[in-house]
Amino acid sequence: MTQQQQHQRLAFIGGGNMAEAMLGGLLACGYPLSQCVVSEPIQARCEFLQSKYPGLQTLSGPHANRMAVSGSKSSSSTSALIQEGAIQVNPTAASTEFIPAEVVVLAVKPQILRSVVVDLAPVLQTHQPLIISIAAGIETSAIARFMVEGLAASSSSESAKDLPPVIRVMPNTPALVLEGAAGMYATPEATEEHRRIAESLLGAVSKQLSWVETETLIDTVTGLSGSGPAYFFLMMEAMEEAGVALGMDRETAKALTIQTCLGAAKMAQLSEDDLKTLRVKVTSPQGTTDAAIKAFEAGGFRELVQKGVTAADARSRTLAKELGGSKL
């Protein structure tokens, strides 16, 4: 992480699990807490984040998202908003002036992203931060449309031209343990520096970052790695059950299954061999592994995996139309 990247003012809109994972990973990498702010509507969640990360600035209330992006003009203006009940601020920073966000992470549920972006549109257009969206299923074109809608609704003097750059990210849940994989797509407005910033931020929780040049491939990323952890959980669940059915106690079956999965992944990660070669190397003809592989193949294992990934890809495309549509 470069010195310039360390000084990016970072605003999380939404303080859920993925935002917390990113925040924790960044802080572990040395990102300064003073450069982070979280806007979260649930006060109890704000209090949890403050207790976990003492000194973290959190905001809640009707004006919280806008202040997280635009900053506060003065401590007196912040205090006035507090008195009006328009915003609640971490008590340790209640009278602090802070600068506008240079990077805004949209980490809210996709069902409410439209209302959030419409509300933020004027301040996003004024301050032109890099927008990183981790909201599943919402295309960058929809985010742009929401901003245009928000500018029109607010009678803002800001032009709908030259909208801020957006980078869409499809992370996965292993990011919660800093072992994530993420697909990333950038709009044409995003520069190489914007891409480097996004890589630095997401790299704090994801070991694999892959750029796609066509946004529809984010749906494929969803089917492969976004939903992928559940596929492996299902496989491990089935292996555990098989061990129990053959007489092994559940804890032992679970422990052996998990370590086998970890070990196989590590071998695949470190080996110069492709996946097929690795499989062949551990499959002796007429041996036990060969018997298992033949049983899997006879049951249509490859076809089932293909169907599953394709189904997730198709569902992602459908959700993009539903969640990004004008009637959302």
Side-chain angles (χ1 to χ4, degrees):
M1 185 179 295
T2 69
Q3 187 68 22
Q4 183 178 6
Q5 290 167 344
Q6 284 183 336
H7 290 290
Q8 295 289 336
R9 177 67 176 176
L10 179 61
F12 288 93
I13 307 301
N17 288 337
M18 196 58 70
E20 181 190 346
M22 285 184 65
L23 181 63
L26 287 167
L27 296 178
C29 292
Y31 206 96
L33 186 67
S34 61
Q35 289 298 87
C36 301
V37 61
V38 178
S39 177
E40 165 58 45
I42 301 174
Q43 186 62 22
R45 181 67 180 171
C46 288
E47 293 170 359
F48 167 78
L49 291 171
Q50 291 166 19
S51 65
K52 186 170 183 179
Y53 306 109
L56 173 68
Q57 191 169 54
T58 64
L59 309 175
S60 61
H63 290 193
N65 288 348
R66 277 171 275 169
M67 181 171 282
V69 175
S70 66
S72 63
K73 295 180 180 178
S74 66
S75 58
S76 59
S77 65
T78 303
S79 298
L81 288 171
I82 293 172
Q83 291 177 0
E84 294 170 8
I87 192 168
Q88 293 82 48
V89 185
N90 177 351
T92 63
S95 61
T96 301
E97 300 175 28
F98 54 96
I99 63 174
E102 297 163 286
V103 181
V104 174
V105 180
L106 298 176
V108 299
K109 294 183 183 300
Q111 292 82 356
I112 66 169
L113 185 65
R114 178 184 175 185
S115 62
V116 168
V117 174
V118 166
D119 176 64
L120 285 175
V123 292
L124 289 172
Q125 187 68 336
T126 297
H127 298 287
Q128 291 285 308
L130 168 62
I131 299 171
I132 297 176
S133 174
I134 60 174
I138 307 290
E139 295 178 339
T140 56
S141 60
I143 294 173
R145 190 167 63 252
F146 300 159
M147 283 192 278
V148 171
E149 181 183 340
L151 291 172
S154 67
S155 299
S156 172
S157 60
E158 295 290 339
S159 170
K161 297 180 179 179
D162 301 322
L163 295 174
V166 180
I167 291 179
R168 180 182 171 193
V169 180
M170 182 65 233
N172 63 7
T173 52
L176 298 174
V177 292
L178 310 185
E179 290 286 347
M184 308 172 75
Y185 170 79
T187 60
E189 297 80 13
T191 65
E192 286 302 314
E193 179 62 17
H194 290 140
R195 286 178 176 242
R196 284 193 291 270
I197 290 170
E199 288 174 357
S200 177
L201 296 175
L202 272 299
V205 294
S206 299
K207 296 292 181 66
Q208 177 62 42
L209 300 174
S210 297
W211 289 97
V212 297
E213 297 307 315
T214 303
E215 188 167 5
T216 55
L217 285 176
I218 287 290
D219 300 309
T220 306
V221 171
T222 301
L224 194 64
S225 59
S227 299
Y231 312 158
F232 288 96
F233 293 147
L234 178 62
M235 181 66 177
M236 290 191 289
E237 181 185 351
M239 289 175 65
E240 178 187 322
E241 292 295 339
V244 171
L246 292 170
M248 184 174 288
D249 68 272
R250 187 168 297 279
E251 286 303 311
T252 300
K254 178 181 178 181
L256 288 171
T257 296
I258 291 174
Q259 184 54 46
T260 298
C261 182
L262 282 170
K266 196 69 174 179
M267 286 180 66
Q269 190 176 56
L270 298 178
S271 177
E272 295 182 357
D273 293 330
D274 60 28
L275 297 177
K276 179 180 179 179
T277 300
L278 286 172
R279 174 181 59 79
V280 170
K281 282 184 175 181
V282 298
T283 307
S284 301
Q286 307 303 314
T288 57
T289 305
D290 187 43
I293 295 297
K294 286 178 178 176
F296 286 143
E297 298 281 18
F301 183 81
R302 293 177 187 274
E303 291 77 11
L304 286 173
V305 173
Q306 180 68 50
K307 286 181 179 179
V309 173
T310 301
D313 177 289
R315 181 56 179 159
S316 179
R317 295 173 194 272
T318 300
L319 287 174
K321 294 178 181 178
E322 293 176 354
L323 297 174
S326 59
K327 295 183 180 180
L328 179 65

